[in-house]
Amino acid sequence: MRVLLAGGAGYVGAHTAVALLDAGHEIVLLDDLSNTSALAAERVSQITGRPAPLVVGDASDESVVAATFDEFGPFDAIVHLAAFKAVGESMEKPLDYYSNNLDTTFALARVGLERGIRSFLFSSTGTVYSDPSDLPFTEESTTSVDLSNPYSKSKRMNEVVLADMARVNPELDVTVLRYFNPVGAHESGLIGEDPSGIPNNLMPYIQRVAVGSLERIGIFGDDYDTPDGTGLRDYIHVVDLALGHVAALERAQPGFVVYNLGTGRPVSVRELIAAFERAVGRELPKVVLPRRAGDVDATYCDPSKAARELDWVATRTIDDAARDAWNWQSRNPQGFASA
């Protein structure tokens, strides 16, 4: 299978590129490098020993997507990972998020349909689920466009668009993957999460504290209705997540389908920090801060549909994720800029 990976040099994208190449597929990466480095593509090739051509360009620009097809196509499938993804930033820049996150889908889908792709795979989020009482979330749990932030809203809007696209193109495979919380890095230490500026997610923040570029870990609230008072989340190793993309592509059937990609095993904030401290071999500085608006006690999924239909199960533990994340960060203290 020949696959166009939009956002393919990013955190999830680079790991998915490795997984696809390891499975014998061919790939081309399309990325504007707004939150990553071209070095990620080079390291994908280094890990796999296979080419990972990178087109530097904006996936929301139909002319860029068309030119990529002209030069590197035809493609059998598009994997759409190109999106702005910081929840807090989306509250400050809603128009940027709606524009980018929807326009990339429109451009990739229009060109892909014109050029005869067979499969379209979209990276969505578990934050589209809107009723905490539904835990653990299944693919049939309540969703809404009336969500707490523009990032989540844009992802749910994309799902609606793609469901309609599948309805009028019945020969097309359209798969939506609802991620939970990707963590960890490739075991080689060559690729990992390298967010621009101060990280919005917990694991890369912990990594920066461990390497000394941030002062201490903030624990936002320790009075939740959970065993240790901190929030519970479904953290999935990014390599398991990447393998979920391969399974979804290889087993895709015509129509529209949604899968949760998570572990189904919630881990608390304190448990995640403790796992990283075990990996580092020392205690890390931390402080309890007030709760953040909109945070809930727990979020985790039931991934059994993916197990049944894709023969995919997340097998790596939170200790595996912490070990691999620290291997990446300690070898690359400034991320890809360390090279």
Side-chain angles (χ1 to χ4, degrees), residues 87 90-91 127 130 144-153 293-295:
V87 170
S90 78
M91 298 292 287
T127 63
S130 55
S144 174
V145 174
D146 185 20
L147 298 163
S148 63
N149 63 83
Y151 164 73
S152 300
K153 290 177 183 178
D295 280 353

Side-chain angles (χ1 to χ4, degrees), residues 127-304:
T127 63
V128 300
Y129 296 117
S130 55
D131 186 351
S133 67
D134 284 344
L135 289 174
F137 294 126
T138 71
E139 291 80 359
E140 289 71 43
S141 293
T142 305
T143 61
S144 174
V145 174
D146 185 20
L147 298 163
S148 63
N149 63 83
Y151 164 73
S152 300
K153 290 177 183 178
S154 72
K155 288 292 189 178
R156 181 61 187 136
M157 289 174 184
N158 271 303
E159 292 185 1
V160 173
V161 168
L162 293 173
D164 282 342
M165 181 177 78
R167 178 176 52 80
V168 297
N169 294 277
E171 75 290 348
L172 186 67
D173 315 330
V174 180
T175 304
V176 168
L177 301 180
R178 290 176 180 159
Y179 303 173
F180 279 73
N181 298 73
V183 290
H186 192 267
E187 63 182 5
S188 66
L190 291 171
I191 55 175
E193 190 166 11
D194 184 26
S196 300
I198 297 176
N200 290 282
N201 296 327
L202 179 58
M203 179 69 94
Y205 201 101
I206 297 171
Q207 294 168 209
R208 298 275 180 90
V209 172
V211 84
S213 60
L214 290 173
E215 181 181 354
R216 59 189 181 180
I217 304 161
I219 299 172
F220 293 96
D222 64 351
D223 58 350
Y224 288 97
D225 185 17
T226 62
D228 67 13
T230 63
L232 292 170
R233 298 293 181 268
D234 194 336
Y235 295 103
I236 177 173
H237 197 297
V238 68
V239 172
D240 281 331
L241 184 66
L243 292 170
H245 293 70
V246 178
L249 280 176
E250 291 181 342
R251 292 164 176 78
Q253 300 292 327
F256 177 83
V257 65
V258 176
Y259 295 105
N260 288 332
L261 293 188
T263 68
R265 299 182 297 274
V267 171
S268 76
V269 169
R270 287 197 184 277
E271 287 172 330
L272 183 64
I273 294 170
F276 207 90
E277 290 175 332
R278 289 192 291 273
V280 175
R282 67 179 190 275
E283 187 173 349
L284 299 174
K286 44 195 171 289
V287 61
V288 175
L289 300 171
R291 292 191 188 196
R292 293 177 299 193
D295 280 353
V296 296
D297 291 354
T299 300
Y300 58 99
C301 75
D302 174 355
S304 59

Side-chain angles (χ1 to χ4, degrees), residues 8 18 25 28 36 98 100 125 138 142 185 193 199 203 232 239 284 293 305 326:
V18 168
H25 302 290
V28 173
T36 187
Y98 291 126
N100 180 78
T125 170
T138 71
T142 305
E193 190 166 11
M203 179 69 94
L232 292 170
V239 172
L284 299 174
K305 181 179 178 183
W326 178 234

Side-chain angles (χ1 to χ4, degrees), residues 1-5 13-14 16-18 20-21 25-29 44 50-53 72 75:
M1 188 182 302
R2 190 164 179 80
V3 181
L4 175 60
L5 272 171
T16 301
V18 168
L20 285 166
L21 289 171
H25 302 290
E26 297 179 335
I27 63 167
V28 173
L29 313 181
V44 167
R50 298 189 58 202
F72 294 99
F75 294 102

